[in-house]
Amino acid sequence: MRTFFRLLGRGVADLFLHPWAQLLSMAAVTLVVFLSGLLLMALATVDAELSASRGETVYQVYWRPGTDMAHVRGQWEELRHMPWLASLETYSPDEALTALARRMGETTGQAAGLPALDMGFLSGKSPLPPTALLTFAPREADPEKWAADTQTFLKAMPGVERVAASPLRDELGKAWRAASRFVIWPTVGFLGVVLALVVGNTVRLTLSTRREEIEILQLVGARNWYIRLPLMVAGALQGLLGGGLACLLLLVVHWRFRTALNVPPLLLELRLPPPEQAALLLAVPVLMGILGSWIAVRSR
Amino acid sequence: MSRGLCFDATSMLKISHLSHSFGAHWALKNVSFSLEKGEFLFLSGPSGAGKTTLLRLLHGALPVQRGAASVAGFDLTRLSGRTVPLLRRQVSVVFQDFKILPERSVYANVALPLEVRGLAPQHIGRRVRAVVRALGLENRLDTPGGELSGGEQQRVAVARSIVVNPQVLLADEPTGNLDPELSLRLMDIFMQFHAYGTTVVLATHSPELIRRHPDARLLRLEDGMITHANWPGGEVFRCADGGLHLGGGGNGPDPCGLDAPGIPGGSGNSGSSGDDNSGSGAPGNPDGRLSL
């Protein structure tokens, strides 16, 4: 046990044996992890934007004309507490009429040079039904089941005549969610492999400066674990320091440039990678530091 | 194909029909000899004769391809990744290029093989100081290896190899980088160490060193074969390939025989050594034995 701890200590101390080689190696690890982190950050930003704009599901609920408005307003209050609700627009029959008149004036009247439509004569006698426009941004494991359940719930509300869904936006949302499953994780996996290869090779090449030391230890009868343990500790530390430094740099970039792209027409806000991807940025260099050291002492 | 060996208790090093090739080039051809505990052997010969290959085989740095070999009780034909470190704890090696760690102190370099064995620090300190004192390096204990002169580095390498009191000490041109005076001093150290019972195999180019130790055994290698031997009290056979074989009579009926077809000058000897030997420059010895 004493030998074990002595070898762990030697692994740490050995980082200072060849400071320039270690420093350059750590810089290489930091840069490659930082680059991977930037790519993940870009991916997270794009994913968040696409999910926000295309992952929404919109329902328009129509009540029967003549339904008691006090009863309808009570239902609107209930709707405001529905999960995943992003926005709720409500229209009483008079509001619906006003909105209709304004929309018609904008689209036809102004184009033809006619004055805006005046529907004041229908005030209080609007034939339009009360309606509500509900926009959801669901993050459900099974979005199709959620959509079906929500539609059933809305249709079952007392006084509701029909519920219209926005099939195009719904389909776009579904398509993006499916695509993100097939795009994001394979991309993260590919980045992980690139990261692993570069970090592993960097650590392995750094150990070439200690080739003679390994050879001498083998000559004096050291067992493989005795040689490998300090090297693996040094490799893990190098991966941890390089990965940690890269994550710090990413935080600085996020803090400094978070809103730099939030200007028309981009309107993008930089997002940090989710925690499980950020953990990869630390775990992969550490594992590859250990593995690179292991491989370097593979042959006797 | 390897031959079986009969190992007796006193045999510290025994090789039989050992051949080794690097690609198409045979660096060692059918070499056989054995050494008992406490014997001293000079290996001489020109560069490329096979001395270093032989030493590398003897401490497990190269695998045995043909023939059989045993060192300090380890069958070299059956070495595995696990047993090589155990062999190297019994067999120390000194190289011409020292192979010391330049950034570590003299103490750390000499202590290395003891640390590897997991000895207590106090014990390591005692052993290291005693050996370093014997080699005149006591004032350089804390000096990094890279700041030492060539002679001092060589003494550190020797100290590292003898501090573990090995059963066999292999030295590959240990005096090659030293001036004559230092070479002689180093040889004295080897001889003192040998006097305590360690078997020493020392490869050298220097005829002067060999002349100064006429009692030691001597093998001259040329082109991978033993071409000359000073082997007091032993049996020497001259074979058809021009090589000599030592002490082979104890291993079987045919000291010159080869199991391995393809080794230059080797095939076809098996079972006919008597006839071959009698016609290959051993007049007066119908059984092929030479008197040395």
Side-chain angles (χ1 to χ4, degrees):
Chain A
M1 192 52 80
R2 191 184 57 207
T3 306
F4 179 78
F5 285 113
R6 192 163 48 78
L7 291 176
L8 289 186
R10 177 172 287 177
V12 178
D14 283 355
L15 280 178
F16 304 98
L17 269 183
H18 304 278
W20 279 110
Q22 299 291 349
L23 211 61
L24 289 173
S25 173
M26 201 182 299
V29 172
T30 304
L31 284 179
V32 76
V33 176
F34 177 63
L35 274 178
S36 306
L38 281 183
L39 278 171
L40 289 179
M41 199 186 256
L43 213 56
T45 303
V46 171
D47 181 45
E49 286 304 315
L50 287 174
S51 294
S53 59
R54 294 189 174 175
E56 292 175 349
T57 306
V58 180
Y59 295 101
Q60 188 151 16
V61 184
Y62 298 89
W63 277 260
R64 287 185 201 92
T67 308
D68 177 24
M69 273 312 293
H71 174 69
V72 173
R73 285 185 204 282
Q75 287 178 321
W76 287 350
E77 275 311 303
E78 281 177 36
L79 291 178
R80 286 186 201 286
H81 302 294
M82 283 189 77
W84 309 120
L85 183 72
S87 68
L88 173 67
E89 289 174 44
T90 55
Y91 299 90
S92 65
D94 283 346
E95 287 166 340
L97 192 65
T98 309
L100 179 68
R102 188 173 60 240
R103 192 71 55 83
M104 286 175 72
E106 283 170 3
T107 53
T108 57
Q110 283 175 7
L114 297 171
L117 278 172
D118 181 7
M119 295 204 177
F121 68 97
L122 282 175
S123 181
K125 295 177 280 183
S126 170
L128 297 177
T131 59
L133 192 67
L134 296 99
T135 305
F136 293 94
R139 295 288 184 276
E140 289 283 337
D142 187 352
E144 286 178 26
K145 182 178 180 304
W146 173 87
D149 290 348
T150 305
Q151 202 161 359
T152 307
F153 170 79
L154 292 173
K155 275 182 181 168
M157 287 175 76
V160 170
E161 187 175 42
R162 68 186 177 95
V163 176
S166 58
L168 178 63
R169 295 185 80 173
D170 198 30
E171 287 307 309
L172 279 173
K174 274 188 226 166
W176 172 246
R177 278 192 293 274
S180 69
R181 268 203 298 274
F182 291 105
V183 171
I184 293 184
W185 282 105
T187 309
V188 170
F190 177 74
L191 272 180
V193 171
V194 172
L195 191 63
L197 287 176
V198 175
V199 172
N201 260 324
T202 306
V203 171
R204 201 171 58 83
L205 286 175
T206 310
L207 287 180
S208 64
T209 58
R210 300 179 67 181
R211 192 68 241 163
E212 195 169 38
E213 180 185 346
I214 293 169
E215 196 185 331
I216 290 169
L217 280 166
Q218 288 173 338
L219 277 177
V220 298
R223 290 177 191 271
N224 271 346
W225 71 267
Y226 187 98
I227 302 169
R228 276 179 172 146
L229 191 59
L231 299 178
M232 283 160 61
V233 169
L237 276 177
Q238 208 168 47
L240 188 67
L241 288 174
L245 207 58
C247 286
L248 273 180
L249 282 175
L250 283 175
L251 282 175
V252 170
V253 166
H254 181 254
W255 167 71
R256 180 70 185 80
F257 298 105
R258 197 176 78 180
T259 54
L261 300 177
N262 201 9
V263 287
L266 288 173
L267 294 174
L268 286 174
E269 188 174 315
L270 273 184
R271 311 258 180 162
L272 282 172
E276 63 270 20
Q277 291 178 18
L280 274 182
L281 291 177
L282 274 180
V284 170
V286 171
L287 285 178
M288 290 317 294
I290 293 173
L291 198 64
S293 310
W294 177 273
I295 290 169
V297 196
R298 189 180 42 186
S299 56
R300 181 170 284 277
Chain B
M1 180 177 162
S2 63
R3 282 175 181 230
L5 284 176
C6 301
F7 298 116
D8 51 72
T10 56
S11 249
M12 188 53 68
L13 192 155
K14 195 162 191 171
I15 65 176
S16 173
H17 303 282
L18 199 61
S19 299
H20 196 88
S21 71
F22 296 101
H25 170 69
W26 288 92
L28 273 185
K29 299 171 193 167
N30 201 25
V31 171
S32 301
F33 67 90
S34 69
L35 287 175
E36 296 189 355
K37 183 174 164 57
E39 288 193 311
F40 196 111
L41 169 68
F42 280 114
L43 276 179
S44 77
S47 295
K51 304 187 294 293
T52 299
T53 301
L54 180 56
L55 292 182
R56 291 180 70 193
L57 280 163
L58 294 181
H59 73 276
L62 289 174
V64 172
Q65 294 173 340
R66 300 263 170 94
S70 148
V71 179
F74 287 88
D75 183 349
L76 299 190
T77 59
R78 291 181 183 168
L79 278 184
S80 67
R82 284 169 184 265
T83 50
V84 168
L86 301 178
L87 166 75
R88 289 177 181 173
R89 291 177 185 199
Q90 304 301 327
V91 181
S92 287
V93 196
V94 182
F95 293 95
Q96 184 178 7
D97 59 353
F98 319 136
K99 289 204 189 300
I100 65 169
L101 297 171
E103 68 278 357
R104 300 223 171 143
S105 68
V106 168
Y107 182 95
N109 268 286
V110 178
L112 204 57
L114 298 173
E115 285 178 359
V116 161
R117 286 159 174 78
L119 298 185
Q122 308 90 309
H123 187 61
I124 292 175
R126 267 202 310 276
R127 293 276 291 268
V128 170
R129 284 189 179 82
V131 171
V132 163
R133 201 178 307 118
L135 288 162
L137 289 165
E138 64 269 34
N139 296 326
R140 307 288 268 163
L141 264 183
D142 299 322
T143 310
E147 294 177 16
L148 300 172
S149 68
E152 286 172 326
Q153 288 191 13
Q154 189 60 297
R155 277 185 281 162
V156 171
V158 172
R160 187 184 64 201
S161 66
I162 64 177
V163 74
V164 290
N165 202 14
Q167 294 197 57
V168 179
L169 177 61
L170 308 174
D172 191 3
E173 307 274 7
T175 59
N177 288 326
L178 305 180
D179 60 47
E181 190 186 343
L182 265 176
S183 299
L184 294 178
R185 275 179 59 190
L186 197 63
M187 273 310 298
D188 287 343
I189 292 165
F190 280 126
M191 295 313 282
Q192 280 171 25
F193 198 64
H194 153 245
Y196 286 109
T198 297
T199 305
V200 181
V201 179
L202 191 148
T204 181
H205 276 116
S206 167
E208 176 61 23
L209 288 183
I210 296 168
R211 253 198 307 277
R212 281 175 164 265
H213 300 94
D215 296 337
R217 294 189 186 279
L218 166 69
L219 290 180
R220 180 172 173 80
L221 288 174
E222 282 178 52
D223 195 24
M225 288 186 294
I226 300 172
T227 56
H228 175 77
N230 176 21
W231 210 259
E235 291 178 321
V236 181
F237 301 83
R238 183 177 295 281
C239 300
D241 56 11
L244 301 180
H245 293 263
L246 298 111
N251 288 332
D254 176 19
C256 300
L258 285 173
D259 285 346
I263 299 174
S267 58
N269 282 352
S270 191
S272 59
S273 63
D275 294 343
D276 288 344
N277 290 339
S278 61
S280 64
N285 292 287
D287 59 356
R289 296 182 185 198
L290 295 173
S291 301
L292 292 165

